[in-house]
Amino acid sequence: MRNLALSGMFLLLVSPGLRSGTVALADGESLKYRVSWGILSHAGEISVTARAEELAGLPQLRVSTLTATTGVARKLYKFEARGECLYDGADGRILAAITNSIARKKKSHAMAVFDYGTGTMDYRDYVRPEKSGTHAIPEGSVTDLITCLVQTRSWDMKTGDRRPATVMFDDDFYDLTIVAGDIEKVDTPWGEVDAMVLAPIMEKEPKGMFKRGGKVRVWISQDERRLPVKLEISMKVGTGTAHLTDYTPPAAGLVAASK
């Protein structure tokens, strides 16, 4: 169960941005995290990078993620996952996303392609083809959980505020509420900062990790960069935490923070 929980932590954090609306990252921006789990202070690493591209004269943004266990954790439980997500550079809507992962000997490989003309998403699971199918895209903005939480950096939320969000888990959609909590101090590569705690909750008919009592929180710095400086997922078997260790801003000339 502990290994399954660790795998779940990494899968949750590596999920690519299956979303529509304003993209949470900008060209050249990158973030790196160190993941701790239980007594393991360095159980894994996560990197997220964004770069602008052009296809047939149309602007696009590609967001890439890489998550892997490291050190002792890798010897106990090998995990590695890669994600690629392509966005429309004009309106920020997701065009396509693909993920590949390996957890010990278990592999996953899935792709989602969004067709806004028909209002459908074509989901293909190449390991479990029985899960493949076409699904209606819900109204409004659609996002994966972590990208949704990162996207809150552009929201003007105050303690006590609540905001609805539609989140995608594999081929399913969850209606969540993002709740803004207190301001807490968090250590970062550039010193201690004030960060607002945000937590997604599933108020109606909880399912998946929420039905099993899982909880997720993200700390958004309250400076001008509004960075997700800390991520946390708690389950009955333990808590995993990702701390921001390196950040490269999108604008040239700014000095990247590192640790």
Side-chain angles (χ1 to χ4, degrees):
M1 291 297 295
R2 182 182 180 87
N3 288 338
L4 289 175
L6 182 60
S7 175
M9 167 69 174
F10 287 129
L11 283 171
L12 181 63
L13 294 179
V14 79
S15 298
L18 300 172
R19 62 182 301 279
S20 60
T22 305
V23 181
L25 297 170
D27 179 32
E29 195 169 15
S30 68
L31 305 97
K32 292 184 179 180
Y33 294 86
R34 181 184 67 250
V35 178
S36 61
W37 187 273
I39 63 172
L40 300 177
S41 60
H42 196 170
E45 295 178 347
I46 300 168
S47 66
V48 183
T49 60
R51 68 176 185 274
E53 299 179 352
E54 189 173 290
L55 181 62
L58 300 175
Q60 298 178 344
L61 185 73
R62 183 180 299 273
V63 177
S64 304
T65 59
L66 172 62
T67 298
T69 47
T70 58
V72 175
R74 191 171 184 85
K75 293 180 179 179
L76 296 173
Y77 188 72
K78 181 180 179 181
F79 179 90
E80 186 169 306
R82 296 177 183 272
E84 292 280 345
C85 190
L86 195 63
Y87 298 95
D88 187 313
D91 58 23
R93 293 190 298 183
I94 176 66
L95 301 175
I98 187 169
T99 59
N100 289 278
S101 71
I102 179 170
R104 285 184 173 169
K105 295 182 179 180
K106 184 178 180 180
K107 297 181 179 180
S108 71
H109 181 195
M111 180 172 67
V113 177
F114 289 75
D115 185 338
Y116 296 100
T118 62
T120 59
M121 176 194 72
D122 183 36
Y123 181 82
R124 297 295 162 191
D125 191 316
Y126 299 104
V127 177
R128 299 171 295 174
E130 68 276 5
K131 291 182 63 66
S132 299
T134 301
H135 306 273
I137 302 174
E139 294 184 4
S141 179
V142 177
T143 174
D144 74 278
L145 179 57
I146 294 303
T147 305
C148 172
L149 295 176
V150 172
Q151 183 60 30
T152 60
R153 65 192 292 198
S154 66
W155 299 355
D156 185 22
M157 297 189 75
K158 303 293 188 297
T159 298
D161 286 353
R162 301 163 69 89
R163 182 162 173 170
T166 301
V167 172
M168 180 179 180
F169 283 86
D170 294 327
D171 60 343
D172 198 3
F173 298 99
Y174 291 15
D175 291 324
L176 303 180
T177 300
I178 308 300
V179 180
D182 296 330
I183 304 295
E184 298 182 359
K185 298 289 187 181
V186 177
D187 288 327
T188 73
W190 55 93
E192 191 177 64
V193 301
D194 290 329
M196 174 173 283
V197 184
L198 302 177
I201 60 175
M202 197 168 190
E203 298 179 288
K204 297 180 179 179
E205 300 179 359
K207 52 187 175 180
M209 62 169 288
F210 295 99
K211 185 176 182 178
R212 297 189 295 270
K215 296 180 180 179
V216 179
R217 296 193 296 171
V218 62
W219 284 255
I220 303 294
S221 68
Q222 297 301 286
D223 55 16
E224 67 280 1
R225 291 183 289 190
R226 306 282 293 182
L227 295 175
V229 293
K230 180 180 175 182
L231 303 167
E232 180 183 273
I233 177 171
S234 298
M235 290 181 270
K236 292 181 179 179
V237 292
T239 298
T241 306
H243 292 272
L244 182 66
T245 57
D246 295 271
Y247 172 67
T248 301
L254 293 179
V255 178
S258 62
K259 185 177 183 179

